[in-house]
Amino acid sequence: MKLLIVEDEPALALTLRDNCEFEGYEVIVASDGERALALAAESTPDLILLDVMLPKLSGLDVCRTLRQRGTTASIILLTARGQEDDKIAGLDLGADDYVTKPFSVAELMARIRAHLRRATALEQYEFGGVTIDFRRHRAEREGVPLELSAREFEILRYFIRRRGEVVTREQLMQDVWRMRDYPLTRTIDNHIARLRQKVDDGEPRFLVTVHRVGYKFLG
Ligand code: CA
């Protein structure tokens, strides 16, 4: 699981980073709003801890832009005491939750775990006549069973959670194959091609190629 921490107070950013790394999450940190948007696009985190009062772009602006881009990551806002309007505006803009500073780190970690659990509990998904049951590892298309490997289920889950976003081969290598610098991007392309034959009609409608970059799921 990958977390993006957006916080401009260095001491708090460090505390959050340490605690999240201790829980075993991969952590990236941004200290202003513009950097947060760049890092979110680059590394597609599963969850974003987003301070509201930030240099360059406010956390609310970042939240709005992320949701406009179709980011499906859970977003937890870090709001200042007494800023009731920020909480309401943030939830309206697509944040999933908020904590008010000063907060208990233990409570924040519990909330992070809860959100990540919910995010991973993708049980069933349908697109273009294809139904995928992740819990039972079953898939069918127009009522006809589809033979999908465990890896193909994992690839689909990965794309579904990032639908509308560009996914690079490097991201697939790291997050689905879990190997850094895996030498054969061809392996990934072959898997995608096979998956496309199963879920797409000859020409790719749902798993589309983004030239020179990777793929995008449009289901
Ligand atoms: Ca701040």
Side-chain angles (χ1 to χ4, degrees):
M1 287 288 166
K2 202 186 293 174
L3 268 63
L4 170 60
I5 296 171
V6 188
E7 172 57 65
D8 60 318
E9 290 167 47
L12 180 55
L14 189 63
T15 302
L16 294 174
R17 174 195 276 264
D18 283 351
N19 277 275
C20 291
E21 284 181 347
F22 184 76
E23 295 262 339
Y25 305 130
E26 187 183 334
V27 178
I28 38 181
V29 179
S31 58
D32 68 60
E34 283 177 6
R35 184 90 185 115
L37 286 178
L39 283 179
E42 225 169 80
S43 53
T44 54
D46 300 288
L47 185 143
I48 302 172
L49 289 181
L50 181 57
D51 185 26
V52 173
M53 306 279 272
L54 286 171
K56 297 191 182 172
L57 276 178
S58 84
L60 296 180
D61 292 329
V62 172
C63 185
R64 179 191 295 115
T65 305
L66 287 172
R67 289 303 186 224
Q68 281 168 351
R69 286 182 186 169
T71 305
T72 53
S74 304
I75 298 177
I76 302 180
L77 292 176
L78 311 179
T79 62
R81 187 181 289 280
Q83 306 278 320
E84 288 301 318
D85 293 352
D86 284 350
K87 295 172 193 167
I88 296 159
L91 294 173
D92 281 343
L93 290 173
D96 299 282
D97 201 356
Y98 61 82
V99 291
T100 305
K101 292 179 179 180
F103 48 81
S104 139
V105 172
E107 188 198 328
L108 176 60
M109 298 316 292
R111 292 218 199 169
I112 291 172
R113 283 194 296 273
H115 280 283
L116 289 175
R117 239 187 342 261
R118 220 169 299 155
T120 45
L122 175 66
E123 294 192 346
Q124 199 167 337
Y125 195 83
E126 287 186 45
F127 64 95
V130 176
T131 305
I132 303 176
D133 184 337
F134 287 102
R135 213 152 44 92
R136 295 188 184 80
H137 263 229
R138 279 191 204 146
E140 54 176 53
R141 181 166 181 195
E142 319 280 352
V144 180
L146 279 178
E147 296 273 336
L148 297 185
S149 67
R151 170 133 303 151
E152 286 171 332
F153 275 105
E154 208 183 336
I155 295 170
L156 277 173
R157 188 199 299 270
Y158 191 80
F159 273 109
I160 289 166
R161 289 184 56 201
R162 288 161 180 77
R163 58 188 174 273
E165 294 177 32
V166 176
V167 171
T168 66
R169 292 181 181 82
E170 289 70 27
Q171 285 170 335
L172 289 168
M173 274 182 217
Q174 281 182 25
D175 298 337
V176 178
W177 272 260
R178 297 192 187 86
M179 292 179 217
R180 287 170 192 279
D181 306 316
Y182 192 79
L184 302 171
T185 51
R186 201 91 207 106
T187 307
I188 290 170
D189 292 335
N190 289 340
H191 268 84
I192 301 287
R194 223 171 306 148
L195 188 54
R196 255 184 197 153
Q197 282 167 12
K198 296 178 185 180
V199 303
D200 262 341
D201 259 328
E203 62 183 289
R205 287 182 302 153
F206 299 109
L207 262 177
V208 300
T209 301
V210 181
H211 187 55
R212 288 172 187 272
V213 183
Y215 298 97
K216 195 193 263 195
F217 178 68
L218 301 175

